Amino acid sequence: MKYSAISAVPLAVLAAYQANAQVTVYTGIPSRTATADPAEATVDYAGLPAYDPLTLEPPAPPETPVTSYGLTVPSTEDALIAAGRQLSIQQKGSFLGFSIELSVAPSIIGQHANSLKVPFLNYMANIRNRAGHGALVRIGGNTQESSTLYTQGTDDGSMIEKIKEEGASVTSTPTINYSDDLFYAMANISAVVGVDWYFGLPFNQSAVENKIDNIYEVAQTAQAILGERLLGLQMGNEPDLYSDHQKRDPGYGPTQFNDEWISIKDEIRSEGNLKQSQNFLIGPSICCEVEGFLLDDVLNAGFLTDNLDALAIVAVQHYPENNCGIDGKVTNPQDIFASYLTHNSAVGLVGPYIDGTTQVLAAGKDIMMMEFGTASCGGFPGLSDSFGAALWTIDYAMQMATQNFTAALQHVGGQNVYYNAFTPPPNNLASSGYQWTTGSVYYPTIIMAELFGSSNQSQIVDLGADNNNEYHPAYAVYENGVPTRIALINFVSDASGANDLTVTIDMGGQPFPKQTVDVRYFSASSVAEKYEIYWANQTLRTSFASDGRLYGDRETVTINCDTGANTCSIPLKAPSMAIVFLTDQSLASSTSDDTASTATFATSVVNVGSATVDVGAIQSGNGQAGGGNGGNAVLGSNSKGSINAGGRTIPGALSLSTIGMMSLVMGLTAWVGLGA
Ligand SMILES: *[C@@H]1O[C@H](CO)[C@@H](O)[C@H](O)[C@H]1NC(C)=O
Ligand SMILES: *[C@@H]1O[C@H](CO)[C@@H](O)[C@H](O)[C@H]1NC(C)=O
Ligand SMILES: *[C@@H]1O[C@H](CO)[C@@H](O)[C@H](O)[C@H]1NC(C)=O
Ligand SMILES: *[C@@H]1O[C@H](CO)[C@@H](O)[C@H](O)[C@H]1NC(C)=O
Ligand SMILES: *[C@@H]1O[C@H](CO)[C@@H](O)[C@H](O)[C@H]1NC(C)=O
Ligand SMILES: *[C@@H]1O[C@H](CO)[C@@H](O)[C@H](O)[C@H]1NC(C)=O
């Protein structure tokens, strides 16, 4: 993201809604109550953006409601090709992951390698349980560029030390000192919930005061500690903005960037004691459709061919809008809300990458979206955290997968942004371990994980539903040449029911694999809803009420098909999204086995310097809180057999994957014992 114009302010006084007012760039929107005309607003919200309760008005439904359409899902890949469509490359359940800004990493993942944040682990576990392997997370962003690794530790002993935050300008970024404790924290997270990582290198610190030039040391240390859990090191972040942001001379273009990239790549290879010196770097990570600095321009400058042996992955980053206030421009989120609630958005956003993607794939490399979100510079109140934004995220993710991106990472910033998938509580609440705020856009990560499941063989196609209708796109996932899951979206928001849809699916006259289909719904009362959001009847709850686990009983709706006509009719509320599972295997592959794997682990969350300890739980089954009513789950209550360790109950039946967690828990308990 562009580092937000709002400086991060630790709250001295808690009561999130009474925090000191911060200067924000969206000042055209004084209201925290929904009104069609923000100028009529009455109530001022002066708290931190991440908890802003502003709700927008849902855009008006189209004048002529569509209440039904027919959808043909060809019964084989050959039939699909005959119908003029093609499947994507094979995709994984981890497709949609997270990009965490380096400067805020401790508040999200944990302050030290031995004090991880349990809600974060739960958010990751939910994905692993569905994808069958760990989530993808990048640590980096603008702040990676002015960061320095101190392998001997930082001056104040913290994992990450923010040296300064310059004035509230869009381009200002804090200077970061960090220690290798950060990599140990990442390694410990991988040991517990299997996360695979991307990490941002300080590409060229020439302009950073007091820096030590140790990019090669970062590369070698990250590789040594993370091993195979490190999928790549990103070099250069949004270089298409370097000259605009006065980080390079005017006229800095793809050729200059490529030359610099090559020289720094060579430095890392010659100076660093690397474990892996081939296929280990990521670039160009351009973001902003700068004329002359597009993906095609960078590839034409030789970036791919010159760096083929060094590249792990080719990456881009992009936000469709910004809230940067550039040239005094103020965007009212209400005015642009509707532009997200159409399939045209996803198609339009991915279109510019199709040529480049074809070249990258032909060269044998993968391409990914390293960072994205609804809008840069923090997103927009009421929009970035709405159910509508979540529907947009799902459609966009499916479209990127359709066009052969291999992963896409949603950016997570601090408490001064609106778009976070999850936000820890403000400092004074942090000791409680839960009370996190789950953003609407978290749900798409578990939905995408269920859409692709755990086979790693899912191929997706945009079915161009109902003559490419912009309000109700549909996609199908095929495995081994046959369709196994169908994704349906209804972008229209209409509480009257007049825009509820029935989608009648056929398989080109062929019978369905079963006489029934199983459906899971993603639902909320309106696209503007921010908190009452459900996936398969489960929710991560409202602001300050989440511990990263799903609550409620999971609901999978079984729908009888018409075996005479070989059709299945799926109701789809306005708004909503659904996954239709065609086979028992596809449902099983997307569903964690509660009875076999449910295990709730005792561990602790400790805020640095604080003796306050609270207890949460890592969920490795699906969403059943031990205690049933909130973060205060009774530890181990839904696991078989318990042992007692350090006063906390830990399940006795340990699978291989829980061994690491076990030692983590022990380590934490000991540490907590000392601290308290
Ligand atoms: C961190 O950064 C500052 C300024 O950039 C520097 O003076 C300080 O010594 C650094 N080192 C450590 C180990 O924190
Ligand atoms: C976890 O962190 C500790 C440092 O606190 C480190 O010694 C240990 O190696 C880490 N575990 C893993 C699996 O990397
Ligand atoms: C790093 O950036 C500076 C400008 O900030 C530039 O003068 C220098 O040549 C760059 N280093 C390399 C190795 O390209
Ligand atoms: C995506 O991959 C599929 C399967 O290999 C291929 O048919 C299609 O042309 C690719 N599309 C792009 C944009 O690379
Ligand atoms: C899918 O890929 C992941 C690595 O991304 C791997 O860990 C996992 O074992 C694979 N699953 C299957 C079923 O091959
Ligand atoms: C949805 O979850 C609630 C608990 O939050 C439960 O009472 C209800 O029975 C569930 N509905 C279905 C249909 O499973």
Side-chain angles (χ1 to χ4, degrees), residues 609-630:
S610 157
T612 320
V613 174
D614 214 316
V615 178
I618 298 167
Q619 183 72 33
S620 31
N622 184 67
Q624 288 162 359
N629 68 339

Side-chain angles (χ1 to χ4, degrees), residues 93-152:
S94 56
F95 183 89
L96 192 55
F98 304 100
S99 157
I100 298 175
E101 188 67 40
L102 175 64
S103 58
V104 304
S107 71
I108 292 170
I109 69 172
Q111 304 286 353
H112 283 292
N114 61 0
S115 89
L116 304 177
K117 301 249 171 155
V118 173
F120 175 72
L121 298 176
N122 285 333
Y123 287 118
M124 299 302 112
N126 295 334
I127 296 170
R128 182 200 54 187
N129 293 341
R130 289 163 173 77
H133 57 269
L136 301 177
V137 182
R138 168 247 199 161
I139 293 185
N142 280 350
T143 51
Q144 79 192 41
E145 302 272 42
S146 49
S147 65
T148 307
L149 167 69
Y150 290 91
T151 51
Q152 306 303 313

